[in-house]
Amino acid sequence: MGMLKEFKEFAVRGNVIDLAVGVIIGGAFGKIVSSFVNDVVMPPIGLLVGGVDFKELSWTLKDAELDAAGETIATAVTVNYGMFIQNVVDFIIVAFVIFLAVKGINKMNKKEEKKAEAAPPPPPPKSEVLLEEIRDLLKKQ
């Protein structure tokens, strides 16, 4: 029973829940970025390089095998480097957005640290000031 209780404490701890929310939002964000790259970024780039659809770029290692009726017996073996290019562009965009977010968060944290450093320390209580004066007077005697 102790192990079940320990697991329950671990699972409902705030950090685990925050991580789960982050993973879910990250997955949704990945879909948005993929759509942005596929539907907005890559079509103009393909147009600039001569109307190439990057998803279709591949290198055929072995052609498909067809029987006498023209039906496929074995599919072609291809290296789909166009999809790789697409995924690299996705990654670069996601990495850049995360970089900007972290940079913004760090900038906000630095401002808060400066505010904390700029505030003068509170004055000591009156009793402490009087005791210091008494100490200093005693030292002079």
Side-chain angles (χ1 to χ4, degrees), residues 38-137:
N38 294 337
D39 303 329
V40 177
V41 174
M42 294 310 276
I45 292 174
L47 185 64
L48 288 174
V49 295
V52 176
D53 183 10
F54 282 91
K55 292 180 190 175
E56 302 299 322
L57 295 177
S58 63
W59 178 41
T60 304
L61 299 175
K62 182 181 175 187
D63 289 328
E65 293 181 20
L66 305 175
D67 62 6
E71 294 182 18
T72 304
I73 297 172
T75 59
V77 178
T78 60
V79 175
N80 300 321
Y81 64 90
M83 288 302 294
F84 177 74
I85 292 171
Q86 190 86 27
N87 290 331
V88 167
V89 172
D90 283 353
F91 171 77
I92 290 171
I93 291 173
V94 169
F96 183 70
V97 169
I98 290 172
F99 167 75
L100 291 177
V102 169
K103 187 174 179 177
I105 290 169
N106 288 341
K107 192 173 185 178
M108 288 182 356
N109 287 342
K110 285 182 183 178
K111 285 182 182 178
E112 289 176 7
E113 288 175 7
K114 285 183 181 180
K115 285 181 183 177
E117 290 174 5
K126 275 190 170 183
S127 60
E128 193 173 314
V129 172
L130 288 174
L131 287 172
E132 286 176 356
E133 288 176 3
I134 294 170
R135 180 197 63 203
D136 293 341
L137 287 173

Side-chain angles (χ1 to χ4, degrees), residues 8-27:
K8 181 181 176 186
E9 288 175 7
F10 169 77
V12 294
R13 190 177 297 157
N15 295 340
V16 175
I17 294 171
D18 292 343
L19 178 63
V21 169
V23 167
I24 292 168
I25 290 175

